Amino acid sequence: MDGDLLAIQAAREAADRAWDAYNRFLGTDPAQIDDMVMAMARAIEPEAVRLAEMAVEETGYGNVPDKRIKNLFNALSVAEWLRDVKTLGVLWRDDATRIAAIGEPMGVVAALVPVTNPTSTIIFKVLSAVKAGNAIVCAPHPRGVRCGLETTRILARVAEEHGAPAGLIQCLDPVSQAGTAELMSHRRTSVVMATGGPAMVRAAYSSGKPTLAVGAGNVPVYVHASKSAELGEVAEQILMSKAFDYGTACVSEQALVVDRSIARELRHEMKLRGAYFCTQAESARLAPVIFTADGGMHPGRVAQSPQRLAELAGFDLPPRTRVLITEQSEIGRQAPLSAEKLNPVLAWYESRDSDEGIALSQQVARFGGWGHTAILHADDPDIVSRYSAMPVGRVLVNTPGILGGMGFSTDLEPSFMLGTGTSSGSITSDNVTALHLINIKRVAFESRPWRDIYDVYGN
């Protein structure tokens, strides 16, 4: 039988099973759901390394130690945050206005899973969906099916042990673009959560279903002269974030803008910590390794080590190199390395002063990162205020991009799905959580005599 037909049939059957499970799950005590979510999170902890190994082996992307941390963050930190969040039943009531808000689940969630984070994304989306009282069907990338199925199996088994109906948590197998499209548009699907490349996001928004999707992130990081006394720490934050899992996170730094007065010292600090500054010739050879002729990211070069990228580009690296830095003078299609790079490669710009530094950062964000994230290292409140006007959904100050954006080193909501707002075609600029997966019903009592309408506006 044709592979697409098999995948379409699998999607239809999964959606129907999910709908049946959702209706049996309706009315479950929120306290029982909380226990279920915490149990699923605890079950991931001893499996975090094994799932990371499966993900790296199957996809060829990233590295095991960092994928382990992603798995644990999306299990433990997300679950801990969810425990204190109310999603179902009476969320709040205001006796003065005589209004109450009641949280209700949406139904069946179709969760698209990217190849770059095939296990951690499933953990995040499953915990969030179940916390909100929903059923969920995960649609993995074809290169992430095996590790996706195993992650889903662990979560579903534990959920069922704690009272969830069979079919509440599923993963498509077989999977194809046609099957995923069928899942998104299926009559039983209530909402789509789409994490992935531009084509996947466009398909999700074209499904005819309410959709939570995220856009690309060409994230600028501006280092202002007011951080001159802490450049070693700034260098370490930037390098850690960009090197993490070989750059798979769209919220990690993409282009570094540094004031010229501190550029030499920052360059030195970054070299001490594993940054390699490419020559112009090496940068020229690196660009076609990362990008295809039409400007897209080469899928086989995403989330590869700096050593592998340098090997493909034909140059050698010093031992313990963590990030490749390529010095740029332009921003735009004529300068491919100024675009988003899902690998440990960082563009470098120098600015005359804060006016130019902020302007360069805005140019970077507008070139493929509109609405996502911008990062600032500065101790000057005026600079923080001015930089916060960036056209992005989150501005992170004095913290690594990946840890700040996902809500570990900041008090943003813990999330592995960062909205980019309407400027980039996303319905939200929030860090997406379980609170985005409920409908909120208002119960409103009369608070003013209805006949007053004639006194206020006349007959």
Side-chain angles (χ1 to χ4, degrees):
M1 190 173 180
D2 180 85
D4 279 343
L5 293 179
L6 286 171
I8 290 170
Q9 184 61 29
R12 290 172 176 169
E13 293 174 356
D16 284 334
R17 283 196 303 270
W19 177 253
D20 178 66
Y22 161 69
N23 281 285
R24 286 182 284 137
F25 194 53
L26 273 174
T28 301
D29 187 337
Q32 181 183 349
I33 293 176
D34 285 343
D35 290 342
M36 188 182 299
V37 169
M38 293 305 298
M40 286 191 287
R42 288 193 297 269
I44 290 295
E45 189 171 5
E47 301 283 6
V49 173
R50 184 173 69 88
L51 293 176
E53 291 171 342
M54 290 182 67
V56 172
E57 179 183 359
E58 185 175 7
T59 67
Y61 288 170
N63 62 76
V64 171
D66 291 342
K67 286 200 181 297
R68 167 188 168 273
I69 290 174
K70 287 181 176 181
N71 290 338
L72 291 175
F73 171 80
N74 282 286
L76 305 182
S77 293
V78 169
E80 185 68 22
W81 184 84
L82 288 173
R83 184 168 60 180
D84 297 326
V85 173
K86 193 164 190 178
T87 55
L88 301 172
V90 178
L91 305 181
W92 54 263
R93 57 183 294 170
D94 188 328
D95 291 334
T97 60
R98 307 192 72 193
I99 294 178
I102 298 174
E104 297 181 337
M106 288 184 169
V108 176
V109 178
L112 279 59
V113 181
V115 66
T116 47
N117 297 300
T119 57
S120 52
T121 301
I122 286 178
I123 296 165
F124 165 72
K125 292 186 177 182
V126 167
L127 296 186
S128 300
V130 173
K131 169 70 178 187
N134 299 299
I136 182 169
V137 181
C138 298
H141 187 279
R143 282 175 51 188
V145 173
R146 190 169 64 87
C147 60
L149 284 168
E150 181 62 8
T151 306
T152 309
R153 184 193 67 79
I154 294 168
L155 295 168
R157 174 182 57 79
V158 174
E160 289 169 25
E161 289 173 355
H162 285 75
L168 192 75
I169 301 167
Q170 299 179 66
C171 182
L172 292 184
D173 180 34
V175 66
S176 72
Q177 288 185 353
T180 299
E182 179 67 20
L183 174 67
M184 290 191 292
S185 61
H186 194 277
R187 65 191 180 96
R188 297 303 192 189
T189 295
S190 307
V191 62
V192 177
M193 295 180 80
T195 309
M200 178 185 285
V201 170
R202 284 194 298 271
Y205 276 122
S206 300
S207 66
K209 299 289 182 168
T211 296
L212 292 162
V214 297
N218 195 18
V219 177
V221 51
Y222 173 41
V223 183
H224 181 253
S226 59
K227 293 298 288 186
S228 59
E230 302 172 69
L231 292 181
E233 173 65 9
V234 170
E236 181 58 32
Q237 289 187 26
I238 294 170
L239 291 174
M240 183 286 300
S241 183
K242 188 56 179 169
F244 194 84
D245 202 26
Y246 297 154
T248 53
C250 57
V251 73
S252 65
E253 294 80 348
Q254 299 292 338
L256 172 55
V257 180
V258 55
D259 281 346
R260 192 162 293 152
S261 62
I262 57 171
R264 181 176 179 180
E265 186 177 353
L266 181 60
R267 182 190 298 258
H268 174 70
E269 294 291 348
M270 297 192 78
K271 286 181 177 179
L272 288 177
R273 290 163 175 78
Y276 177 77
F277 283 76
C278 300
T279 66
Q280 289 300 313
E282 290 166 344
S283 294
R285 295 204 297 271
L286 186 62
V289 166
I290 296 174
F291 296 100
T292 59
D294 62 0
M297 275 184 275
H298 195 302
R301 313 293 161 72
V302 167
Q304 302 302 299
S305 70
Q307 290 74 20
R308 175 58 176 160
L309 294 174
E311 177 187 2
L312 291 168
F315 59 90
D316 297 323
L317 294 178
R320 296 183 294 278
T321 296
R322 299 162 68 189
V323 171
L324 304 178
I325 296 184
T326 171
E327 298 181 61
Q328 300 291 311
S329 59
E330 295 183 279
I331 299 168
R333 295 190 179 279
Q334 73 281 9
L337 292 171
S338 67
E340 181 184 30
K341 303 164 287 295
L342 294 182
N343 43 47
V345 177
L346 188 66
W348 171 282
Y349 298 89
E350 294 184 13
S351 56
R352 293 185 302 274
D353 51 29
S354 59
D355 288 342
E356 186 179 30
I358 294 172
L360 286 170
S361 299
Q362 288 178 336
Q363 284 183 257
V364 171
R366 291 175 187 275
F367 180 50
W370 186 281
H372 203 293
T373 302
I375 304 164
L376 172 67
H377 292 275
D379 287 336
D380 184 334
D382 179 62
I383 296 299
V384 175
S385 177
R386 291 169 56 199
Y387 196 79
S388 296
M390 292 280 290
V392 295
R394 58 199 58 77
V395 175
L396 309 174
V397 183
N398 297 331
T399 195
I402 185 170
L403 300 186
M406 72 188 195
F408 180 82
S409 61
T410 67
D411 278 334
L412 292 175
E413 298 87 347
S415 178
F416 240 48
M417 189 172 179
L418 310 185
T420 55
T422 55
S423 57
S424 65
S426 178
I427 194 60
T428 181
S429 57
D430 295 342
N431 280 19
V432 175
T433 71
L435 293 173
H436 293 84
L437 297 175
I438 58 172
N439 290 312
I440 300 178
K441 176 192 297 181
R442 268 75 173 183
V443 178
F445 290 83
E446 185 176 76
S447 59
R448 172 191 291 178
W450 67 268
R451 287 184 174 85
D452 284 1
I453 188 74
Y454 299 111
D455 294 332
V456 173
Y457 301 112
N459 291 321

PDB file of all heavy atoms in Angstrom, residues 433-447:
ATOM      1  N   THR A 433       2.092  27.835  26.818  1.00  0.00           N
ATOM      2  CA  THR A 433       1.957  26.913  27.947  1.00  0.00           C
ATOM      3  C   THR A 433       0.602  26.223  27.872  1.00  0.00           C
ATOM      4  O   THR A 433      -0.175  26.430  26.929  1.00  0.00           O
ATOM      5  CB  THR A 433       2.058  27.665  29.290  1.00  0.00           C
ATOM      6  OG1 THR A 433       0.877  28.463  29.470  1.00  0.00           O
ATOM      7  CG2 THR A 433       3.294  28.559  29.336  1.00  0.00           C
ATOM      8  N   ALA A 434       0.299  25.454  28.910  1.00  0.00           N
ATOM      9  CA  ALA A 434      -1.008  24.803  28.997  1.00  0.00           C
ATOM     10  C   ALA A 434      -2.152  25.812  29.013  1.00  0.00           C
ATOM     11  O   ALA A 434      -3.275  25.487  28.604  1.00  0.00           O
ATOM     12  CB  ALA A 434      -1.067  23.932  30.263  1.00  0.00           C
ATOM     13  N   LEU A 435      -1.887  27.031  29.451  1.00  0.00           N
ATOM     14  CA  LEU A 435      -2.937  28.049  29.496  1.00  0.00           C
ATOM     15  C   LEU A 435      -3.385  28.478  28.099  1.00  0.00           C
ATOM     16  O   LEU A 435      -4.442  29.107  27.951  1.00  0.00           O
ATOM     17  CB  LEU A 435      -2.464  29.268  30.283  1.00  0.00           C
ATOM     18  CG  LEU A 435      -2.244  29.027  31.784  1.00  0.00           C
ATOM     19  CD1 LEU A 435      -1.610  30.242  32.437  1.00  0.00           C
ATOM     20  CD2 LEU A 435      -3.560  28.678  32.466  1.00  0.00           C
ATOM     21  N   HIS A 436      -2.587  28.146  27.083  1.00  0.00           N
ATOM     22  CA  HIS A 436      -2.988  28.425  25.704  1.00  0.00           C
ATOM     23  C   HIS A 436      -3.815  27.277  25.124  1.00  0.00           C
ATOM     24  O   HIS A 436      -4.248  27.354  23.969  1.00  0.00           O
ATOM     25  CB  HIS A 436      -1.761  28.662  24.833  1.00  0.00           C
ATOM     26  CG  HIS A 436      -1.009  29.916  25.182  1.00  0.00           C
ATOM     27  ND1 HIS A 436      -0.080  29.961  26.194  1.00  0.00           N
ATOM     28  CD2 HIS A 436      -1.047  31.166  24.654  1.00  0.00           C
ATOM     29  CE1 HIS A 436       0.421  31.190  26.279  1.00  0.00           C
ATOM     30  NE2 HIS A 436      -0.157  31.938  25.362  1.00  0.00           N
ATOM     31  N   LEU A 437      -4.030  26.224  25.897  1.00  0.00           N
ATOM     32  CA  LEU A 437      -4.723  25.036  25.407  1.00  0.00           C
ATOM     33  C   LEU A 437      -6.064  24.828  26.102  1.00  0.00           C
ATOM     34  O   LEU A 437      -6.587  23.714  26.141  1.00  0.00           O
ATOM     35  CB  LEU A 437      -3.832  23.795  25.590  1.00  0.00           C
ATOM     36  CG  LEU A 437      -2.522  23.825  24.798  1.00  0.00           C
ATOM     37  CD1 LEU A 437      -1.660  22.616  25.154  1.00  0.00           C
ATOM     38  CD2 LEU A 437      -2.785  23.861  23.295  1.00  0.00           C
ATOM     39  N   ILE A 438      -6.602  25.899  26.676  1.00  0.00           N
ATOM     40  CA  ILE A 438      -7.930  25.836  27.268  1.00  0.00           C
ATOM     41  C   ILE A 438      -8.814  26.936  26.681  1.00  0.00           C
ATOM     42  O   ILE A 438      -8.318  27.960  26.220  1.00  0.00           O
ATOM     43  CB  ILE A 438      -7.891  25.993  28.806  1.00  0.00           C
ATOM     44  CG1 ILE A 438      -7.240  27.327  29.205  1.00  0.00           C
ATOM     45  CG2 ILE A 438      -7.205  24.810  29.456  1.00  0.00           C
ATOM     46  CD1 ILE A 438      -7.331  27.641  30.690  1.00  0.00           C
ATOM     47  N   ASN A 439     -10.103  26.681  26.696  1.00  0.00           N
ATOM     48  CA  ASN A 439     -11.081  27.724  26.441  1.00  0.00           C
ATOM     49  C   ASN A 439     -11.531  28.275  27.794  1.00  0.00           C
ATOM     50  O   ASN A 439     -11.666  27.513  28.766  1.00  0.00           O
ATOM     51  CB  ASN A 439     -12.290  27.162  25.686  1.00  0.00           C
ATOM     52  CG  ASN A 439     -11.936  26.784  24.267  1.00  0.00           C
ATOM     53  OD1 ASN A 439     -11.299  27.553  23.541  1.00  0.00           O
ATOM     54  ND2 ASN A 439     -12.364  25.594  23.839  1.00  0.00           N
ATOM     55  N   ILE A 440     -11.744  29.578  27.867  1.00  0.00           N
ATOM     56  CA  ILE A 440     -12.163  30.200  29.124  1.00  0.00           C
ATOM     57  C   ILE A 440     -13.590  30.714  28.974  1.00  0.00           C
ATOM     58  O   ILE A 440     -13.870  31.593  28.156  1.00  0.00           O
ATOM     59  CB  ILE A 440     -11.207  31.343  29.519  1.00  0.00           C
ATOM     60  CG1 ILE A 440      -9.780  30.795  29.698  1.00  0.00           C
ATOM     61  CG2 ILE A 440     -11.685  32.002  30.803  1.00  0.00           C
ATOM     62  CD1 ILE A 440      -8.760  31.858  30.033  1.00  0.00           C
ATOM     63  N   LYS A 441     -14.462  30.115  29.744  1.00  0.00           N
ATOM     64  CA  LYS A 441     -15.865  30.495  29.752  1.00  0.00           C
ATOM     65  C   LYS A 441     -16.100  31.533  30.849  1.00  0.00           C
ATOM     66  O   LYS A 441     -15.635  31.364  31.978  1.00  0.00           O
ATOM     67  CB  LYS A 441     -16.736  29.272  30.013  1.00  0.00           C
ATOM     68  CG  LYS A 441     -18.228  29.554  30.130  1.00  0.00           C
ATOM     69  CD  LYS A 441     -18.976  28.351  30.666  1.00  0.00           C
ATOM     70  CE  LYS A 441     -18.877  27.172  29.719  1.00  0.00           C
ATOM     71  NZ  LYS A 441     -19.622  25.998  30.241  1.00  0.00           N
ATOM     72  N   ARG A 442     -16.795  32.605  30.536  1.00  0.00           N
ATOM     73  CA  ARG A 442     -17.175  33.604  31.538  1.00  0.00           C
ATOM     74  C   ARG A 442     -18.627  33.382  31.950  1.00  0.00           C
ATOM     75  O   ARG A 442     -19.512  33.275  31.093  1.00  0.00           O
ATOM     76  CB  ARG A 442     -17.026  35.020  30.989  1.00  0.00           C
ATOM     77  CG  ARG A 442     -15.691  35.667  31.261  1.00  0.00           C
ATOM     78  CD  ARG A 442     -14.596  35.118  30.396  1.00  0.00           C
ATOM     79  NE  ARG A 442     -13.339  35.865  30.550  1.00  0.00           N
ATOM     80  CZ  ARG A 442     -12.250  35.607  29.858  1.00  0.00           C
ATOM     81  NH1 ARG A 442     -12.247  34.634  28.974  1.00  0.00           N
ATOM     82  NH2 ARG A 442     -11.152  36.321  30.068  1.00  0.00           N
ATOM     83  N   VAL A 443     -18.842  33.326  33.237  1.00  0.00           N
ATOM     84  CA  VAL A 443     -20.189  33.294  33.793  1.00  0.00           C
ATOM     85  C   VAL A 443     -20.441  34.668  34.396  1.00  0.00           C
ATOM     86  O   VAL A 443     -19.761  35.069  35.352  1.00  0.00           O
ATOM     87  CB  VAL A 443     -20.333  32.198  34.859  1.00  0.00           C
ATOM     88  CG1 VAL A 443     -21.739  32.231  35.455  1.00  0.00           C
ATOM     89  CG2 VAL A 443     -20.043  30.832  34.255  1.00  0.00           C
ATOM     90  N   ALA A 444     -21.381  35.418  33.830  1.00  0.00           N
ATOM     91  CA  ALA A 444     -21.582  36.810  34.215  1.00  0.00           C
ATOM     92  C   ALA A 444     -23.022  37.040  34.665  1.00  0.00           C
ATOM     93  O   ALA A 444     -23.968  36.829  33.895  1.00  0.00           O
ATOM     94  CB  ALA A 444     -21.249  37.732  33.046  1.00  0.00           C
ATOM     95  N   PHE A 445     -23.198  37.483  35.917  1.00  0.00           N
ATOM     96  CA  PHE A 445     -24.502  37.829  36.452  1.00  0.00           C
ATOM     97  C   PHE A 445     -24.817  39.295  36.133  1.00  0.00           C
ATOM     98  O   PHE A 445     -23.915  40.113  35.962  1.00  0.00           O
ATOM     99  CB  PHE A 445     -24.525  37.623  37.967  1.00  0.00           C
ATOM    100  CG  PHE A 445     -24.486  36.187  38.393  1.00  0.00           C
ATOM    101  CD1 PHE A 445     -23.284  35.500  38.478  1.00  0.00           C
ATOM    102  CD2 PHE A 445     -25.663  35.518  38.699  1.00  0.00           C
ATOM    103  CE1 PHE A 445     -23.255  34.178  38.869  1.00  0.00           C
ATOM    104  CE2 PHE A 445     -25.639  34.192  39.092  1.00  0.00           C
ATOM    105  CZ  PHE A 445     -24.425  33.506  39.181  1.00  0.00           C
ATOM    106  N   GLU A 446     -26.088  39.596  36.100  1.00  0.00           N
ATOM    107  CA  GLU A 446     -26.476  40.981  35.875  1.00  0.00           C
ATOM    108  C   GLU A 446     -25.927  41.854  37.005  1.00  0.00           C
ATOM    109  O   GLU A 446     -26.113  41.547  38.190  1.00  0.00           O
ATOM    110  CB  GLU A 446     -27.988  41.112  35.811  1.00  0.00           C
ATOM    111  CG  GLU A 446     -28.453  42.520  35.468  1.00  0.00           C
ATOM    112  CD  GLU A 446     -29.962  42.618  35.306  1.00  0.00           C
ATOM    113  OE1 GLU A 446     -30.662  42.617  36.346  1.00  0.00           O
ATOM    114  OE2 GLU A 446     -30.428  42.683  34.154  1.00  0.00           O
ATOM    115  N   SER A 447     -25.232  42.916  36.636  1.00  0.00           N
ATOM    116  CA  SER A 447     -24.654  43.820  37.629  1.00  0.00           C
ATOM    117  C   SER A 447     -25.264  45.217  37.560  1.00  0.00           C
ATOM    118  O   SER A 447     -24.951  46.067  38.400  1.00  0.00           O
ATOM    119  CB  SER A 447     -23.134  43.927  37.421  1.00  0.00           C
ATOM    120  OG  SER A 447     -22.839  44.415  36.126  1.00  0.00           O
TER     121      SER A 447
END
